Amino acid sequence: MARASFPDLDEDTLREHLVDAEIPALVMTVAHLTGDVSLLGELPRSPGWLFAPQGGLTPEQQESLRERAFLALRRLRGQEVRPPGDDLLRAITTWAMGTDTAELLPLLAEGFALPGEDPRAPRWTFAELSPPAGFRVAVIGAGFSGLLAARRLAEAGVPFVVYEKNPDLGGTWFENTYPGCRTDVASHLYDYSFAPRADWPDHFSTRDDVLDYLRAFAEESGVGEHVRYGVEVGTMRWDERDSLWHLGTSGPDGERTDTCNVVISAVGQLNRPSTPDIPGRDAFAGTAFHSAAWDHSVDLAGKRVAVIGTGASAYQFIPEIAGVAAEVVVFQRTPPWLRPTPHYHDPVPAGAHWLHRHLPHYGRWHRFWLFAPGLRGILEGWVVDPDHPPTERAVSALNEDLRAGLAAAMEAQLADAPELRDAVIPRYPVGAKRVLRDNGRWIATLKRDDVRLVTEPIERITPTGVVAGGAAVDVDVLVFATGFRASHFLAPMVVTGRAGVDLHETWNGAPRAYLGIAVPDFPNLFCLYGPNTNLVGQGGSIVYFSECATSYVLDAIRLLLESGKSAIQVRRDVHDRYNEWIDSGNRNRAWGWSKVGGWYNEGGRSAVNWPYSAQEYWQRTHEVDPDDHELS
Ligand code: NAP
């Protein structure tokens, strides 16, 4: 085990930087490093404290705890630093979550490896498994999931190639360049758990910072040289005769067919723009583009701009273009719920950077602090309570409480604009659509004189603009912020499995996979961020889910190689039973129950959302159960 000792920190420097500590994370760090949990008892926890910046502590409470932490830390010089033992880990995390974490300990312990240790790296190597000659894995996509898969394959020594249709890595973070694009998951949770970035500039990273992180990760992992940029996979056909996938690709070298033993699809969910078929759509004579393909050649200064949509993309870029354009007309069909996040656009203060770098395990506890709501708690707010009974307003008493809290925060911003109230406060249950982060900018933007909100349904698009509610709005530029075809997994690839079965015909508009990863009749094909692996709410992170799925896929490849067989496929009964469980979960969640629609529940069945806790996904993907699969 790697050893580390508490650094010889200068007391003044320590005190100075503690000013910027996230106090709950600091207190947990101190309890860990000292082994003394008494400080925890000093920290009052209000209901919902896991969701509040600084745990909702008053400035006085923060100051007192900071001082206690300082006194404890200065006694630690030179002392050996170890990961917390099970008892200590359980004591601290049980206290933090307000519920016994005994069952979570293996998951939590993975988060406290010492620097240089990586508990989720493959514990096997390709060479030791007597692989067949020429064995090769193809990864499709070089975004967050594809780069991770590449790293894990490289660690195990498995030969692989990555196909990336774009000229650069990053996936959705490469493609989306609209003004104001940034994460809505905390930066310190939106990186790989084994490769945390200590100095994220902002609490919620800009698109450029995420891309920089991925570039650095690819470089450090040595996987960049395996990526074939500008090469798109159009077809994939499983051939029973040679037990290989035959990939039809197009790129700089023209059309080619490549073969590989295993395919890992890491093509993402939210990257096939959806431009609704509004009558007259193509007749618009001005400039029109989708937010995910922002046309930077268009100078919006002085222009009249129409934006269709008020989802996660629109609410980030509309405040940026307001004031630049002469007028922005926002066409809203359904308003988003907003969750107060005052620090949404704020930089991480210098002291916090320092603590992440110099205070042992602070970064780990900070990560736990951000992750904890997703482990169990946040789900409860979306669960339908038939005894409540559910309505289009709220699906449970807890969901009603959430609504009241969020609505009150929005009402407070609307005191001077009562005319916006009905348009801006949603009528559907919280959680039925993605909840957006709010630091006041969205509503402030809607109140501007040069921004107009139109809620009448759009009738048609004309050469000069948009007609809604019988009124024509003439504009120069039309931006579709209308989201993605999230449920069209693996599209537009044509994927042909055993006996000529077509993947999209099999799915028939309702994609399913076992653990979001494996589909019967499609041997040696594994999906990352596949069906029903999207997280709802602000707990947890998709990056973590990709880590779980990637561990599983590597374990499946190990099983295949160990078996000496050439194909592994999930058993149909296992797959079907699993999907019944997924569907029953989703039906019983705000997005499955509400009629509001959207990409969470396209066509009345959610093909995208994971309806359970992050813990549940971790447990199910931790290792492959050979009984779930057929090897041939
Ligand atoms: P979205 O959430 O699907 O929003 C699309 C918007 O377009 C909705 O307001 C929708 O209205 C509207 N719309 C669609 N078709 C329409 C039509 N025919 N007429 C009028 N309005 C129409 O898409 P998005 O904003 O691009 O976000 C998609 C997802 O990507 C997010 O939920 C999130 O997971 C991810 N994302 C994340 C970030 C981030 O902060 N990290 C940023 C951008 C995107 P309805 O609601 O009525 O359907």
Side-chain angles (χ1 to χ4, degrees):
M1 180 191 289
R3 287 185 169 272
S5 52
F6 196 82
D8 189 12
L9 299 176
D10 168 68
E11 283 191 12
D12 291 342
T13 310
L14 176 62
R15 193 188 276 281
E16 176 192 335
H17 291 104
L18 285 179
V19 169
D20 291 330
E22 184 74 18
I23 297 298
L26 175 66
V27 169
M28 290 188 271
T29 308
V30 170
H32 167 186
L33 295 175
T34 60
D36 176 3
V37 294
S38 61
L39 190 55
L40 303 179
E42 307 275 320
L43 201 161
R45 290 178 320 169
S46 54
W49 87 299
L50 278 175
F51 301 91
Q54 294 289 11
L57 297 168
T58 64
E60 295 72 34
Q61 290 167 331
Q62 291 176 39
E63 186 46 44
S64 152
L65 285 158
R66 194 179 292 114
E67 184 60 20
R68 296 278 310 273
F70 169 72
L71 296 174
L73 288 173
R74 69 177 186 172
R75 289 195 291 270
L76 291 177
R77 285 178 183 190
Q79 181 178 305
E80 189 180 340
V81 174
R82 299 163 188 251
D86 276 359
D87 290 345
L88 187 56
L89 185 61
R90 181 175 173 187
I92 300 173
T93 53
T94 293
W95 166 84
M97 294 179 68
T99 166
D100 188 3
T101 57
E103 279 179 21
L104 286 169
L105 287 182
L107 178 161
L108 294 171
E110 280 184 353
F112 287 91
L114 289 175
E117 289 184 346
D118 180 356
R120 309 201 72 168
R123 298 271 172 270
W124 54 277
T125 64
F126 185 65
E128 76 197 12
L129 295 180
S130 318
F135 186 95
R136 196 170 77 126
V137 176
V139 179
I140 308 178
F144 250 111
S145 296
L147 291 172
L148 173 62
R151 156 95 170 215
R152 292 312 195 198
L153 290 164
E155 283 169 342
V158 180
F160 68 95
V161 59
V162 182
Y163 298 104
E164 170 52 62
K165 66 175 164 43
N166 293 325
D168 199 354
L169 54 76
T172 194
W173 292 106
F174 172 78
E175 289 168 9
N176 281 271
T177 61
Y178 61 77
C181 182
R182 65 170 67 221
T183 65
D184 61 4
V185 170
S187 304
H188 294 97
L189 200 52
Y190 203 76
D191 51 17
Y192 302 112
S193 63
F194 59 93
R197 178 174 174 181
D199 59 350
W200 282 112
D202 294 334
H203 288 291
F204 295 86
S205 296
T206 62
R207 174 259 183 192
D208 287 352
D209 286 336
V210 175
L211 213 46
D212 284 349
Y213 170 80
L214 288 175
R215 289 195 179 113
F217 175 80
E219 165 117 21
E220 183 266 324
S221 307
V223 298
E225 68 201 56
H226 297 265
V227 186
R228 295 199 191 154
Y229 290 108
V231 178
E232 179 157 12
V233 177
T235 59
M236 284 169 49
R237 181 179 57 80
W238 173 257
D239 193 322
E240 206 64 65
R241 289 164 301 186
D242 53 12
S243 294
L244 292 175
W245 280 103
H246 293 242
L247 273 47
T249 66
S250 55
D253 300 335
E255 310 272 313
R256 290 184 47 167
T257 302
D258 287 348
T259 57
C260 61
N261 303 72
V262 169
V263 174
I264 300 177
S265 166
V267 297
Q269 279 189 22
L270 295 161
N271 61 354
R272 292 165 295 277
S274 166
T275 308
D277 203 7
I278 298 169
R281 184 188 65 186
D282 300 328
F284 183 63
T287 307
F289 53 86
H290 190 279
S291 59
W294 195 269
D295 186 344
H296 291 277
S297 71
V298 181
D299 181 4
L300 296 181
K303 302 261 181 9
R304 296 163 303 168
V305 181
V307 179
I308 302 180
T310 50
S313 302
Y315 104 113
Q316 289 186 332
F317 75 74
I318 289 173
E320 302 292 325
I321 64 171
V324 176
E327 185 186 20
V328 181
V329 186
V330 181
F331 290 89
Q332 173 186 275
R333 197 162 60 179
T334 319
W337 276 112
L338 306 175
R339 172 192 174 186
T341 309
H343 59 308
Y344 186 50
H345 286 121
D346 293 352
V348 174
H353 287 311
W354 188 91
L355 292 170
H356 270 270
R357 251 192 244 109
H358 299 288
L359 181 58
H361 282 294
Y362 175 80
R364 302 290 180 181
W365 283 107
H366 185 228
R367 191 180 189 86
F368 163 75
W369 168 245
L370 297 170
F371 191 44
L375 280 170
R376 282 186 185 161
I378 200 162
L379 249 185
E380 291 162 17
W382 321 136
V383 174
V384 176
D385 176 2
D387 297 327
H388 177 55
T391 64
E392 262 307 333
R393 187 184 150 87
V395 294
S396 68
L398 180 55
N399 192 253
E400 182 73 51
D401 284 351
L402 286 172
R403 152 184 277 276
L406 301 192
M410 293 173 82
E411 298 262 14
Q413 298 176 53
L414 291 163
D416 58 348
E419 71 285 359
L420 282 175
R421 197 189 165 282
D422 279 353
V424 166
I425 299 185
R427 297 191 173 84
Y428 58 87
V430 180
K433 281 177 177 288
R434 190 171 176 88
V435 179
L436 308 182
R437 298 279 182 177
D438 182 29
N439 60 356
R441 269 195 96 190
W442 176 244
I443 289 177
T445 301
L446 295 182
K447 286 187 209 165
R448 291 176 63 109
D449 292 339
D450 53 4
V451 173
R452 184 148 60 99
L453 185 64
V454 177
T455 54
E456 283 80 19
I458 296 175
E459 288 153 27
R460 62 184 186 281
I461 293 173
T462 67
T464 55
V466 181
V467 178
V473 180
D474 285 351
V475 291
D476 307 302
V477 179
L478 177 53
V479 185
F480 289 94
T482 42
F484 302 89
R485 303 172 76 208
S487 297
H488 296 239
F489 289 88
L490 274 64
M493 291 189 291
V494 176
V495 185
T496 314
R498 281 197 155 130
V501 174
D502 178 272
L503 181 66
H504 297 293
E505 281 175 18
T506 302
W507 279 342
N508 193 20
R512 297 165 205 274
Y514 179 56
L515 301 171
I517 297 172
V519 186
D521 281 337
F522 294 84
N524 296 10
L525 169 62
F526 304 107
C527 303
L528 302 177
Y529 197 19
N532 296 109
T533 57
N534 185 63
L535 279 180
V536 177
Q538 280 74 28
S541 133
I542 288 304
V543 181
Y544 183 77
F545 263 45
S546 277
E547 286 187 42
C548 293
T550 304
S551 298
Y552 186 90
V553 172
L554 265 285
D555 206 33
I557 294 173
R558 173 198 58 78
L559 184 65
L560 176 66
L561 289 168
E562 262 176 7
S563 72
K565 309 274 188 181
S566 53
I568 178 170
Q569 93 169 14
V570 65
R571 278 174 35 197
R572 184 170 296 282
D573 60 324
V574 170
H575 166 274
D576 291 353
R577 216 172 27 249
Y578 168 86
N579 275 284
E580 278 164 27
W581 175 71
I582 287 288
D583 287 349
S584 70
N586 273 327
R587 274 195 298 275
N588 194 24
R589 301 289 177 265
W591 56 88
W593 194 90
S594 167
K595 303 288 173 284
V596 73
W599 72 274
Y600 272 9
N601 210 30
E602 232 178 294
R605 172 191 176 261
S606 183
V608 292
N609 283 351
W610 170 253
Y612 302 107
S613 65
Q615 176 198 6
E616 187 76 47
Y617 195 66
W618 176 86
Q619 237 151 17
R620 285 174 182 262
T621 52
H622 200 240
E623 58 189 36
V624 173
D625 181 346
D627 290 342
D628 288 346
H629 299 271
E630 290 157 359
L631 288 146
S632 56

